[in-house]
Amino acid sequence: MVRKDRKQLVLALIVVLVMFVLSFAFTSLYKTAQDNKNKKYVLDTSFKTSKNVYLENTLPISNELGKQYDGSNIEDKIHGYNEFTIENNYSKNITYEVYLKENNKCEKVIDKSYVIFYLTNSKDEPLDGFKENKLPSFASLPVLSDKPNAKLLYSGTIKNQSKEKFKLRVWVSDLYSINKDKECFSFDIYVRSV
């Protein structure tokens, strides 16, 4: 009787062990499949000059003038301007986000409610969120949930094996009252797939 009980005990342990190994294998396969599904793709991003944009409170300007700025005379620092390109080298469409992170180049910072953004495509057509009369300011941009120090400028989808070119114009609103202190605002542009 003892041998029979011992055989049943060994058989039960083998069954439990096999079930444990199978559940571990299935869990690992499921996790790997989920990771591949949520894989972050790296989009090639190139900037005309650098990813940094810098402007000063020297001369606030109207939205109409700010929208027309072509990037010339960037040394005057009353406008911020940057052209950048996103390239998708993958065989599938990829959703992406363009986001901004303020950097610490300024001792006295311009009020972020008056730093205005205008984003267009390569044909100078405004993108969604930039077509209205009321353009977004840095203060009104939403914060990224996983990056509390970053603001979402734009999100979209880029087609497979393609490039998209953007033009970003930034200025200090003409509603801003100039004071004698030099103030500035500086940020970097980033792109990521989501």
Side-chain angles (χ1 to χ4, degrees):
M1 199 83 181
V2 173
R3 271 188 188 194
K4 192 174 181 183
D5 288 339
R6 196 177 285 166
K7 282 183 182 181
Q8 287 179 346
L9 182 63
V10 170
L11 185 60
L13 286 174
I14 290 173
V15 169
V16 168
L17 185 62
V18 167
M19 294 298 283
F20 177 75
V21 169
L22 285 175
S23 67
F24 180 75
F26 284 125
T27 304
S28 294
L29 286 174
Y30 178 76
K31 187 171 181 162
T32 303
Q34 287 299 102
D35 288 347
N36 286 339
K37 181 181 174 186
N38 297 329
K39 177 182 173 186
K40 298 283 184 192
Y41 294 90
V42 178
L43 297 170
D44 291 334
T45 307
S46 58
F47 296 91
K48 185 175 182 179
T49 52
S50 76
K51 67 180 180 179
N52 181 257
V53 176
Y54 176 88
L55 68 150
E56 295 177 353
N57 67 335
T58 314
L59 179 66
I61 59 173
S62 71
N63 287 354
E64 290 310 309
L65 285 175
K67 288 179 180 180
Q68 297 170 12
Y69 183 58
D70 62 1
S72 60
N73 240 4
I74 197 77
E75 297 81 31
D76 64 13
K77 298 181 177 101
I78 61 173
H79 301 89
Y81 184 86
N82 206 323
E83 291 181 21
F84 59 98
T85 304
I86 300 172
E87 185 173 358
N88 178 2
N89 294 316
Y90 298 98
S91 58
K92 65 177 273 179
N93 297 350
I94 297 182
T95 304
Y96 64 89
E97 292 178 336
V98 178
Y99 65 96
L100 313 173
K101 287 173 82 173
E102 184 179 357
N103 57 40
N104 299 324
K105 289 187 176 181
C106 301
E107 190 175 312
K108 292 187 178 183
V109 179
I110 299 169
D111 184 335
K112 296 168 189 140
S113 301
Y114 296 96
V115 177
I116 307 300
F117 291 88
Y118 185 62
L119 185 65
T120 64
N121 61 19
S122 60
K123 298 174 187 169
D124 247 359
E125 300 165 336
L127 300 174
D128 288 339
F130 299 89
K131 295 177 182 176
E132 301 86 26
N133 286 337
K134 183 168 172 50
L135 294 172
S137 68
F138 190 83
S140 70
L141 294 173
V143 175
L144 293 174
S145 60
D146 62 330
K147 293 181 181 289
N149 61 342
K151 299 272 197 151
L152 178 64
L153 179 66
Y154 180 74
S155 63
T157 302
I158 184 169
K159 293 182 179 177
N160 61 325
Q161 303 295 321
S162 67
K163 289 182 183 181
E164 288 185 16
K165 185 176 179 181
F166 300 89
K167 295 179 183 179
L168 177 63
R169 296 167 176 90
V170 187
W171 61 90
V172 179
S173 169
D174 59 355
L175 300 175
Y176 190 68
S177 58
I178 300 177
N179 58 46
K180 61 183 178 180
D181 296 331
K182 177 185 170 187
E183 296 175 324
C184 65
F185 188 75
S186 181
F187 62 90
D188 295 319
I189 304 168
Y190 297 91
V191 177
R192 68 176 182 177
S193 66
V194 289

